[in-house]
Structure formats: structure tokens, C-alpha cells
Amino acid sequence: MVFDVLTLFPEMFYSVLSTSILKRAIEKGKIKVNLINIRDFSKDKHKRVDDYPYGGGPGMVMMPQPIFDAIEFVKKQGDIPVYYLGPKGKIFNQEMAVKMSKLDRIVLLCGHYEGIDERVYSIIDEEISLGDFILTGGEIAAMAIIDAVSRLIDGVLSDPQSYREDSFFEGLLEYPQYTRPEVFRGMKVPDVLLSGNHAEIAKWRRQKSLEITLLKRPDLLKKAVLTEEDKKFLREKGFDI
């Protein structure tokens, strides 16, 4: 999969893309990240990409011309969907990550300053936000999306089961995890995880996922894929379903 990142600060991505799972995914050819500097498309002799907002007000606004030209440059290579990382977009979630992971290529446009000229929206497919808070720019959001989507691409993780059991993959939060030692400062690993009984372990993990989701994010349960056994368990816990 190819990620075309349109940014004013490509250097922000260097460390992230040269470490851990993303580095290995790039080396294996599972993903490719093109860092495209929007300033390279500015027609201003000083490579200026922002200007004061019409009507007055604080801050600067990203000008349309460099962004239009940058997007059109990428789109010459195909009909590639363009996602703008901005505060007014849909909240990014695992469902969106899964949909993106099935595409061959996407453009991630990183906003900055007070945002983009409104006319840029005419060539954007969708605006995405990480949540109800403000970042200095879209670069950190783009990194999060690249990471979330990449790990869903076949061959990026050594074991596909890793992401299938992640929080949010089936609409539930993940069950508790333990590793060695068996006892640490008086706290013991649950007996069921040491039993070797895989059916009982799977049941325990499922019920713990349900319990944790009920406690921390009950809103997720309304959209989660639940079995009749799940529903019975939740009703016993007092959840109306």
C-alpha cells in the first residue's frame, strides 16, 4: 500500500518511519510512504504557502494554489482518495482503518496554521480527525493513521492474530495480558491462563473483554458483534441489551 503524505514538515516523519514495525514493513515492500513537501509547489519566490485570512482574525491560512497543485500532481498517477487531517472531520476509528487498509493508495493532507482555504475542500474526499482536541498540525494524525492502517495489511505483522485480538477490532476492548514472572509483588497471573485449557482461556478472555468494555466504554457494546452467550453474560452483569 502507498501513502502519499502532503505536508509542510516531512522531516517530522523520518524517525517514525525508520523504527519498529513501520520500518520493517517498508523494507519488506508491504507499504511505501511518499513524503511530499507542499512548499515545493508554491509559486511564490519565497516558497510561501500561507496568508492572512480575508475578513481579519488571528493566525494564517494555508493558500489553495500549492495544495491544489500538490494534490493534482499525485492524482496524475491515478484516482487516489484524498483525506484531509482536520478538526472538523469524522473521528478516526478501527472501522475506518480497516476500510483504508483495503485500498491500494491514499493521500493524507496535513493541515497547519488556522487550516486550509475553504476552496481546497472541493478536491478532498473526506476530512478526518483524531478526536475533540487541537493539534498544531496534521502530521501527528497522519502518523497515527499510517501506523493503524499498516498493521492491518497482510504480512506487516508476523502473526495476523495479533491485530484480530486488538482493542476495537471486534468492537470490544482487549482482555488483560500477563507475562513472566507468574507472581510479581504478590500479584499472581490468573489460574485459568496457566491451565493449558484453551477453551476455558478463550472464554475467560472473551468475558474479560466484555467486562472491561462495559466498565470503560459501554457505548461500544451497542455496535459490537455479540453472540447470544455474550448477551447473556452482559445481562447477568446488569447491562440492558
Side-chain angles (χ1 to χ4, degrees):
M1 181 175 183
V2 179
F3 299 90
D4 294 291
V5 183
L6 307 185
T7 172
L8 297 178
F9 302 99
E11 62 274 11
M12 289 181 66
F13 292 83
Y14 297 159
S15 177
V16 172
L17 298 176
S18 62
T19 55
S20 191
I21 290 172
L22 291 181
K23 177 185 178 182
R24 293 196 295 271
I26 292 170
E27 290 174 344
K28 289 161 60 176
K30 298 297 180 180
I31 68 169
K32 182 179 181 182
V33 182
N34 296 322
L35 299 174
I36 301 167
N37 195 329
I38 298 171
R39 294 184 194 278
D40 291 342
F41 295 87
S42 174
K43 294 180 179 178
D44 180 82
K45 66 179 180 179
H46 300 297
K47 295 299 181 181
R48 186 174 180 178
V49 294
D50 62 317
D51 209 335
Y52 296 102
Y54 279 121
M60 306 290 279
V61 176
M62 291 179 71
M63 300 160 66
Q65 177 270 313
I67 301 176
F68 263 80
D69 286 0
I71 291 175
E72 288 169 354
F73 167 77
V74 177
K75 286 244 181 193
K76 287 179 181 177
Q77 302 170 59
D79 186 18
I80 308 164
V82 178
Y83 298 95
Y84 168 52
L85 292 318
K88 295 182 285 189
K90 293 180 181 178
I91 302 298
F92 184 72
N93 58 25
Q94 189 68 11
E95 183 181 353
M96 294 173 71
V98 170
K99 288 180 179 178
M100 286 184 182
S101 71
K102 296 176 181 178
L103 300 174
D104 294 326
R105 190 169 184 170
I106 63 174
V107 176
L108 298 175
L109 170 61
C110 303
H112 238 275
Y113 310 120
E114 294 302 312
I116 56 174
D117 185 290
E118 187 70 17
R119 290 163 289 192
V120 176
Y121 281 98
S122 66
I123 56 171
I124 286 171
D125 293 285
E126 190 170 357
E127 183 173 4
I128 297 175
S129 170
L130 286 193
D132 297 334
F133 54 92
I134 304 300
L135 294 170
T136 303
E139 283 76 15
I140 293 174
M143 294 175 200
I145 290 172
I146 291 170
D147 189 279
V149 173
S150 294
R151 65 197 315 279
L152 299 173
I153 295 169
D154 192 35
V156 169
L157 297 183
S158 57
D159 183 0
Q161 192 66 21
S162 297
Y163 70 74
R164 294 193 183 105
E165 295 184 357
D166 283 344
S167 291
F168 306 113
F169 188 78
E170 290 186 336
L172 300 176
L173 300 182
E174 191 178 12
Y175 50 79
Q177 297 277 15
Y178 295 86
T179 188
R180 297 178 183 179
E182 184 177 327
V183 180
F184 179 72
R185 295 191 178 183
M187 295 177 283
K188 189 176 184 300
V189 174
D191 290 337
V192 65
L193 299 180
L194 307 173
S195 68
N197 188 324
H198 297 295
E200 286 300 310
I201 290 172
K203 180 180 178 181
W204 180 87
R205 285 175 167 172
R206 182 68 177 184
Q207 290 183 348
K208 285 298 180 183
S209 285
L210 291 166
E211 282 183 357
I212 291 170
T213 306
L214 178 60
L215 177 65
K216 297 185 176 182
R217 290 290 305 277
D219 57 297
L220 294 176
L221 291 171
K222 298 189 181 299
K223 297 190 297 181
V225 179
L226 302 174
T227 66
E228 289 303 316
E229 187 176 352
D230 292 337
K231 294 175 183 178
K232 179 183 177 183
F233 177 79
L234 289 169
R235 283 193 290 266
E236 291 172 353
K237 294 292 181 178
F239 186 74
D240 185 18
I241 194 167

